[in-house]
Structures are given as structure tokens and as C-alpha cells.
Amino acid sequence: MKWLLAIGLILSGSTADNHDEIDLVWDDESIVEVQRSDFSIPWFGYPILNHTMLETLNKQMSLQIKKEPTNAGLDDYGKIIPEEVGYILDEKKFKKKFTASFFEKHHSRLQVPTLPVYPKVDSEIIANIRTNLIGHYITYFNSKNQERTHNINLAAEAINNHVVFPGETFSFNKVVGKRTASRGYQPAPIIVRGELSEGIGGGICQVSSTLFNAADRSGMKILERYSHSKQVPYVPPGRDATVSWYGPDFTFKNKYNQPILIRAKTYPGKMIVMIYSSDEINIEKRKVPSSDSSIIIPEEAI
């Protein structure tokens, strides 16, 4: 593992001997060696720790020593994917340990302390809410349009395995994130002011529309939902949910007393969103018209 710790100011011009070094070690690997003299303020022949330099090092270390936790989920076969615990720098303990090492008279190895960061969704939660299908919806698309199909797949992956807790609000834009070329989205047809044009991320509105109908069917409280300025072919009239990073969003609130699990999957020419919860949920389903698989979806369908 290569570390790119940005401590140029601290290390610049350091020519102290080996006894002056403090070796910062994490996960049995040396991250960087720093010199005590770079953190020292001479005072009547006695070294005093420069707390400003230590605070700079502490902030830089906190940027390097971190890992986001990973929520538990389900794989394509319904098997639970265990959660992964993350970590962050224990800043308070690090400064305390560094201060102690600073006043030692020999080469020191400082084990960088961390704190665990636990995921919001663990295997126990997933096991409890994967049993009861409370709503689903299927839409169809022309898989010959490879760019649009690619965007649909990306957006579906983004919402798949997302858990919405009781009273929590789901935001499509927040969960899926900005649709950019750097994140893998490709140009495909979109609707702009009632006209078809080309834009990065074209096709994701089919994902948001499929999710809207599944969420509506399962009785979620729809908070924000907008239709396209032009009718789309993949859902019945008035049943679409257009989204844009700098414009409309699709949001809903979980009004139940149990968490819900969103499962999104694409197949050749077909997309499905399924919403699960525990057997203890008191579901209030709504009637939602299904999409028509017999409709021929044009290749440029937005």
C-alpha cells in the first residue's frame, strides 16, 4: 500500500539523525517518518512541542486514516452480504501518543490509533426486512440502445439494497448522486422543455419512475414527484417521475414503523423494483396501473 501523506512542510529540509525520528505505523505498515526537530520550539535549550505543527499533522492524518463503513445487503441470489466496519483516526489519542513520543530520546514507532465506524445497516436488519414483498413494479425498455441501457443499469445499482428507516425520507438525487461522465454515465436521449435532446445520464428517469410506482403501490408517502413535459412510453400516462440533478427530485417518506429494503434489478429489456419489509409491517397498499409490455419501446425512448 502506498501512502501519499501530504506533509511537505513538516518534512522539508529535515536532516536529523535516526534518533530524531518518529515512525508513524498503521496496520503494521510504516506510513511516514517525521523528525522531532520539525515539531520542536527551542526554549532555553529545552524542546517544546509545537502544537500548531501537531494539529496540522493530526488533520492530515485524519484525511488519510479513514475508511467508510459498508452496509449489509443482498446479492443477486438473495444471500446476505455482510456489513463491513469502517474506521477513522482517533485524533485525541493520536495527539496524546505523539506528545509522549516527542519527549523520548530515541527512535520511536507510534502505532496510529483508530476508532471503528459502524454501518447503519447490518446483517440482522437485512435478515429481518427481506421476507415480506410489500410492493413491486416492472417497466420495459429497448435494450438495443446501449448507452441508455448502461445508464439504467448504473442508476438501478445505486438504489439497490438501500434501506429507508421509519420516518426517514428517500431522495433519488441524493442516493444516486450526480450523473456525470466521470461516474460512468453516458450521453443518451433526454427531454428538455418538451423536446428530445442528448444529455449525460439519459434513461435514469425510467429508474425513478419504476421506483415511484413501486413505492406508491407499497403505500409510501410521496413527497416530491414531477411528470415529464412530454408523455413517456414506459409507464402509463401521469405515472412517471422525472429527475434532474439541478432540477426536480423524486422523494418519499417511509410512514411505517418498520424499515423497508429497495431491491432494483435490470434484465434484457426489463427493469424491476421490489420493496421489502418485515412480516410485522401493517401495509396499506395502493392500486397502481401496470406498464404494458406489449408496447414497442422506441430505441430513443427517454
Side-chain angles (χ1 to χ4, degrees):
M1 181 184 297
K2 295 183 178 180
W3 292 88
L4 302 175
L5 192 59
I7 55 173
L9 178 62
I10 295 173
L11 296 178
S12 61
S14 297
T15 57
D17 59 33
N18 185 59
H19 295 292
D20 192 39
E21 294 175 349
I22 300 176
D23 189 12
L24 305 183
V25 178
W26 181 77
D27 197 23
D28 296 325
E29 182 176 352
S30 177
I31 302 172
V32 69
E33 288 185 342
V34 299
Q35 309 295 334
R36 289 183 177 86
S37 56
D38 291 323
F39 292 82
S40 177
I41 301 176
W43 186 76
F44 293 103
Y46 294 95
I48 295 178
L49 178 61
N50 187 331
H51 288 278
T52 300
M53 293 292 286
L54 175 55
E55 191 62 36
T56 299
L57 176 63
N58 188 59
K59 289 180 180 179
Q60 292 166 344
M61 291 289 291
S62 67
L63 294 175
Q64 288 290 116
I65 307 296
K66 66 177 181 179
K67 178 186 176 183
E68 295 294 330
T70 303
N71 288 329
L74 297 176
D75 64 16
D76 291 342
Y77 304 98
K79 183 180 178 181
I80 294 178
I81 305 170
E83 69 278 8
E84 293 183 9
V85 177
Y87 50 79
I88 57 173
L89 176 71
D90 187 335
E91 297 187 23
K92 184 177 180 180
K93 185 177 288 187
F94 173 72
K95 287 190 285 187
K96 184 177 181 180
K97 292 181 70 172
F98 187 91
T99 300
S101 296
F102 174 79
F103 291 103
E104 294 176 353
K105 303 296 184 181
H106 55 81
H107 179 274
S108 302
R109 284 175 60 86
L110 191 160
Q111 296 288 337
V112 177
T114 60
L115 291 170
V117 180
Y118 296 98
K120 189 176 181 180
V121 180
D122 59 23
S123 299
E124 184 178 354
I125 292 175
I126 293 295
N128 188 50
I129 62 174
R130 68 173 177 170
T131 57
N132 186 7
L133 179 64
I134 65 173
H136 77 284
Y137 202 80
I138 302 173
T139 59
Y140 304 88
F141 57 90
N142 192 330
S143 56
K144 292 182 180 179
N145 188 327
Q146 297 181 0
E147 293 80 7
R148 187 175 183 278
T149 299
H150 174 80
N151 293 338
I152 290 174
N153 290 337
L154 278 184
E157 289 174 4
I159 66 172
N160 185 46
N161 278 325
H162 190 83
V163 173
V164 186
F165 286 86
E168 195 172 64
T169 295
F170 173 95
S171 163
F172 187 89
N173 281 341
K174 183 177 180 180
V175 172
V176 175
K178 193 173 184 179
R179 280 72 78 178
T180 62
S182 63
R183 298 186 65 232
Y185 287 93
Q186 299 179 4
I190 60 173
I191 290 179
V192 178
R193 297 183 180 90
E195 299 294 332
L196 278 177
S197 63
E198 196 84 356
I200 295 292
I204 65 162
C205 289
Q206 179 154 353
V207 180
S208 56
S209 296
T210 309
L211 175 61
F212 157 60
N213 283 280
D216 198 22
R217 180 174 280 173
S218 62
M220 295 296 116
K221 183 178 181 180
I222 308 301
L223 300 178
E224 185 179 2
R225 197 270 302 187
Y226 304 91
S227 289
H228 290 81
S229 53
K230 179 180 180 180
Q231 184 175 331
V232 295
Y234 45 79
V235 289
R239 298 302 306 176
D240 57 319
T242 182
V243 291
S244 173
W245 181 252
Y246 292 109
D249 193 7
F250 166 59
T251 66
F252 67 85
K253 183 177 182 179
N254 178 7
K255 68 178 186 180
Y256 299 118
N257 64 345
Q258 297 293 322
I260 64 164
L261 170 66
I262 298 172
R263 297 282 284 153
K265 181 70 176 176
T266 59
Y267 301 90
K270 180 169 64 175
M271 176 184 180
I272 181 169
V273 170
M274 297 169 287
I275 298 181
Y276 288 87
S277 190
S278 76
D279 294 328
E280 299 174 5
I281 193 170
N282 294 319
I283 187 69
E284 299 175 3
K285 292 187 178 183
R286 298 191 187 99
K287 291 184 178 180
V288 170
S290 300
S291 58
D292 190 349
S293 61
S294 65
I295 296 177
I296 298 177
I297 307 296
E299 185 173 336
E300 71 278 3
I302 40 71

